[in-house]
Amino acid sequence: MKRKILSVTMAALLCLSLAACGEEADKPAKDNQDTSAPEVKDNTNTGDVANKDKPLVWFNRQPSNSSTGELDMAALSYNKDTYYVGFDANQGAELQGTMVKDYIEASIDKIDRNGDGVIGYVLAIGDIGHNDSIARTRGVRKALGTGIDKDGAINSDPVGTNTDGSASAVQDGKLDIGGKTYTVRELASQEMKNSAGATWDAATAGNAIGTWSSSFGEQIDIVVSNNDGMGMSMFNAWSKDNKVPTFGYDANSDAVAAIAEGYGGTISQHADVQAYLTLRVLRNALDGADVDTGIGTADDAGNVLSDDVYRYSEEQRSYYALNVAVTADNYNDFTDSTKVFDPVSKQLDESAHATKKVWLDIYNASDNFLSSTYQPLLQNYDDLLNLDVDYIGGDGQTESNITNRLGNPGQYDAFAINMVKTDNAASYTALLNQ
């Protein structure tokens, strides 16, 4: 672009300025670009912001005491831009328990396989120290009447084997159906933890159902699992061939598809909403925008969530996606677990939301839900939100397998952390404090 010749005096005064800006001024405007648009927002300069002050989101594993479930508020309020994203564990747990109970009541004429009047179920427990696993175990026991009180809450301990109903961690429940009273018994339950220490282990669950079915298979009328990874392992190993309904959690694509083959049902924890929230709270902090932008309040692209798919706890600094039961009645609506949620599927304008770099870890690269559902969703959303994300896959066993790969936090603008154990937030914040 040619400029009019300026006076010699003015040229002398402005020569340095023109030299600095002339290169950009001579660049042609891009097609359809509004040249009067505001300058790119760039509220976070990686080199100028201390790591301890950069946006941080904990996700999937809420910082908490694995023994008591008490939230680690020091981690949840690490800095002004720290949040947790997960799902409403208690609402989802009660939903799973209700789904199992409803199935029993609707199918009572065929559910009691040996006709002994006892509806026996086995339970795969993911991680005895994980709040979500604890909630799901309690939710099933509450709905089926098999839970007993321990320190003011339903006991979530595994029972081992309980075919005679004598275990101290549970009790026999009762269901009145069609004028007849049935006993409901938790025949067996255990934490699915492999020899290397990884929990929520699908292979361990497959082995467990093999042991249980060999010992008391005719007594097993229902199989329940804290997640679909373990549930599908038991379904494929035994319950599918024996036509025993199996119930999981997560609405993984393979589990949803298996409903057509006899899988009893699963719970969608709205992973599409969780993945969006995980990156959205970082995007808002990086933009210097209100945290509710694109969540409860529409952003400049029109992305917004309705209040029936999430809730926010200001006290806990936590966003929770709400859950939906997936059964034979509606499973066709959930066949693609990696599809972004339509109300928040619009691309952000990079001229107003500059690309930023995010470090994000998946605690266990082998976890079916995280690797097959959550990470693909994150990868879909990172493009929409103009985030350049480095994905780090852990071994599911040791925190150091992940933390050792956060050697240079200074090159990132924000962090998204999925811990191996909920107690270990300090392992990460110590690195950011350096």
Side-chain angles (χ1 to χ4, degrees):
M1 180 170 56
K2 295 182 179 179
R3 299 177 181 275
K4 294 181 179 179
I5 299 175
L6 302 176
S7 68
V8 173
T9 302
M10 187 62 72
L13 291 173
L14 299 180
C15 62
L16 292 176
S17 175
L18 287 172
C21 70
E23 182 179 345
E24 285 300 316
D26 287 340
K27 288 184 178 180
K30 293 181 179 179
D31 291 344
N32 300 319
Q33 179 176 314
D34 180 1
T35 56
S36 65
E39 294 181 5
V40 174
K41 289 184 180 180
D42 193 0
N43 297 303
T44 299
N45 185 313
T46 308
D48 296 339
V49 180
N51 295 322
K52 65 182 179 61
D53 296 324
K54 293 176 181 177
L56 165 64
V57 61
W58 309 97
F59 71 97
N60 186 253
R61 277 166 154 66
Q62 191 171 27
S64 58
N65 184 304
S66 61
S67 298
T68 66
E70 181 182 2
L71 296 185
D72 180 355
M73 291 308 302
L76 289 166
S77 56
Y78 175 64
N79 63 33
K80 67 181 181 61
D81 292 319
T82 297
Y83 297 91
Y84 169 72
V85 170
F87 66 101
D88 192 322
N90 292 325
Q91 179 251 352
E94 292 187 7
L95 199 59
Q96 186 189 34
T98 300
M99 176 176 62
V100 175
K101 178 175 178 286
D102 289 347
Y103 187 97
I104 293 172
E105 292 175 339
S107 309
I108 195 60
D109 57 333
K110 58 183 179 182
I111 204 77
D112 185 7
R113 297 198 306 142
N114 63 1
D116 64 354
V118 177
I119 308 302
Y121 72 94
V122 294
L123 175 64
I125 295 175
D127 179 345
I128 58 174
H130 192 299
N131 280 353
D132 295 345
S133 188
I134 291 169
R136 293 172 198 178
T137 296
R138 287 173 173 168
V140 169
R141 290 176 177 174
K142 177 182 178 181
L144 299 181
T146 56
I148 63 170
D149 182 82
K150 179 183 179 182
D151 300 327
I154 291 175
N155 192 336
S156 61
D157 296 338
V159 301
T161 302
N162 181 44
T163 52
D164 62 358
S166 63
S168 60
V170 293
Q171 64 183 1
D172 283 352
K174 301 292 182 184
L175 284 178
D176 294 320
I177 308 171
K180 181 178 179 179
T181 299
Y182 292 85
T183 296
V184 183
R185 179 172 296 163
E186 187 170 309
L187 300 170
S189 57
Q190 73 175 61
E191 181 185 38
M192 299 306 170
K193 183 176 184 178
N194 68 21
S195 58
T199 53
W200 303 86
D201 189 64
T204 302
N207 292 333
I209 195 65
T211 300
W212 292 335
S213 62
S214 296
S215 301
F216 47 88
E218 282 299 310
Q219 295 174 259
I220 303 174
D221 301 310
I222 297 281
V223 175
V224 186
S225 173
N226 281 173
N227 77 355
D228 281 333
M230 300 181 299
M232 282 298 294
S233 182
M234 295 189 290
F235 182 71
N236 290 325
W238 179 78
S239 52
K240 177 181 177 180
D241 289 342
N242 289 275
K243 301 187 185 310
V244 175
T246 301
F247 296 86
Y249 203 113
D250 289 335
N252 290 342
S253 293
D254 59 342
V256 173
I259 291 176
E261 302 176 319
Y263 198 71
T266 182
I267 299 294
S268 168
Q269 52 175 278
H270 256 313
D272 49 1
V273 173
Q274 287 187 67
Y276 173 74
L277 287 168
T278 297
L279 296 182
R280 184 76 220 202
V281 295
L282 296 180
R283 178 75 266 177
N284 288 342
L286 292 167
D287 286 346
D290 186 275
V291 70
D292 196 48
T293 303
I295 301 175
T297 305
D299 64 16
D300 48 15
N303 295 303
V304 67
L305 294 172
S306 56
D307 58 12
D308 60 343
V309 297
Y310 84 100
R311 69 177 181 86
Y312 174 61
S313 170
E314 184 176 7
E315 179 184 8
Q316 298 174 353
R317 297 185 63 81
S318 298
Y319 284 91
Y320 301 103
L322 301 181
N323 303 265
V324 181
V326 182
T327 66
D329 294 331
N330 65 346
Y331 76 96
N332 284 318
D333 297 332
F334 294 86
T335 52
D336 184 359
S337 64
T338 64
K339 181 179 181 294
V340 299
F341 192 46
D342 187 63
V344 288
S345 60
K346 300 176 183 65
Q347 178 73 50
L348 295 188
D349 182 354
E350 192 172 7
S351 70
H353 308 274
T355 297
K356 297 293 183 179
K357 196 164 181 61
V358 176
W359 187 94
L360 181 151
D361 80 275
I362 300 292
Y363 97 96
N364 184 357
S366 299
D367 181 272
N368 188 267
F369 168 65
L370 290 170
S371 63
S372 300
T373 298
Y374 210 107
Q375 183 168 332
L377 282 165
L378 289 168
Q379 290 170 324
N380 288 332
Y381 284 120
D382 64 21
D383 287 335
L384 295 174
L385 298 174
N386 302 326
L387 295 173
D388 178 10
V389 181
D390 279 352
Y391 293 93
I392 308 299
D395 62 6
Q397 300 164 27
T398 59
E399 221 73 60
S400 61
N401 182 261
I402 301 169
T403 55
N404 286 345
R405 286 181 279 173
L406 186 53
N408 187 13
Q411 67 181 300
Y412 297 96
D413 298 295
F415 308 93
I417 295 175
N418 177 209
M419 296 176 287
V420 174
K421 291 294 184 183
T422 62
D423 309 80
N424 290 339
S427 299
Y428 297 87
T429 55
L431 293 173
L432 300 182
N433 285 337
Q434 294 177 1

